Amino acid sequence: MTRGREADVRIRDAEDRIEAAGNGTWAGRELGRRATLVQFSSAFCQPCRATRRILAEVAGMVPGVSHVEIDAEAELELVRELRISGTPTVLVLDADGRTVLRATGQPRKIDVIAALGKAV
């Protein structure tokens, strides 16, 4: 487990796989061609706002990478299915939908970039 800047950040490699639809979507959202940064957020989560900025910036740096934000409160079934225990939770998915990183808490930009390097 790698620790990020925030004391409560837990980062781990994961073997979960997201089953995308044939048209490149998952849970009604469009996935990136090369990788996807999935963020589970909640309305009053302060670290979620900073995480949103970090992920949008990283996604904008790499062609074929998208940032998808999911409202955890509105998607409870998906939250349960993926065992999301807090917000923000970030999943970095490769092109095949495999989770190469799962972070709970606000991740550092460098950790997201490193995980994205594994994904693409």
Side-chain angles (χ1 to χ4, degrees):
M1 181 187 314
T2 304
R3 295 300 250 173
R5 176 179 53 219
E6 301 294 320
D8 65 342
V9 174
R10 292 181 310 280
I11 298 175
R12 66 179 179 86
D13 290 332
E15 294 299 319
D16 297 335
R17 185 182 169 117
I18 303 301
E19 292 299 323
N23 60 358
T25 64
W26 168 72
R29 286 131 181 121
E30 189 171 332
L31 298 177
R33 184 177 41 79
R34 296 178 67 197
T36 305
L37 307 175
V38 179
Q39 174 184 351
F40 286 86
S41 299
S42 53
F44 298 104
C45 168
Q46 184 64 33
C48 293
R49 293 180 189 132
T51 299
R52 180 182 308 118
R53 285 190 299 273
I54 290 167
L55 297 182
E57 186 176 327
V58 171
M61 292 172 19
V62 183
V65 174
S66 66
H67 170 224
V68 172
E69 187 169 4
I70 297 173
D71 180 350
E73 296 169 19
E75 299 280 351
L76 289 177
E77 185 175 322
L78 187 57
V79 165
R80 286 184 197 109
E81 178 184 330
L82 295 174
R83 300 174 311 281
I84 305 298
S85 61
T87 58
T89 293
V90 175
L91 306 176
V92 178
L93 308 178
D94 67 11
D96 294 326
R98 278 189 302 272
T99 304
V100 297
L101 174 100
R102 180 183 182 117
T104 302
Q106 181 184 335
R108 296 182 312 156
K109 183 176 177 181
I110 192 72
D111 292 329
V112 175
I113 292 169
L116 197 52
K118 290 182 184 179
V120 294

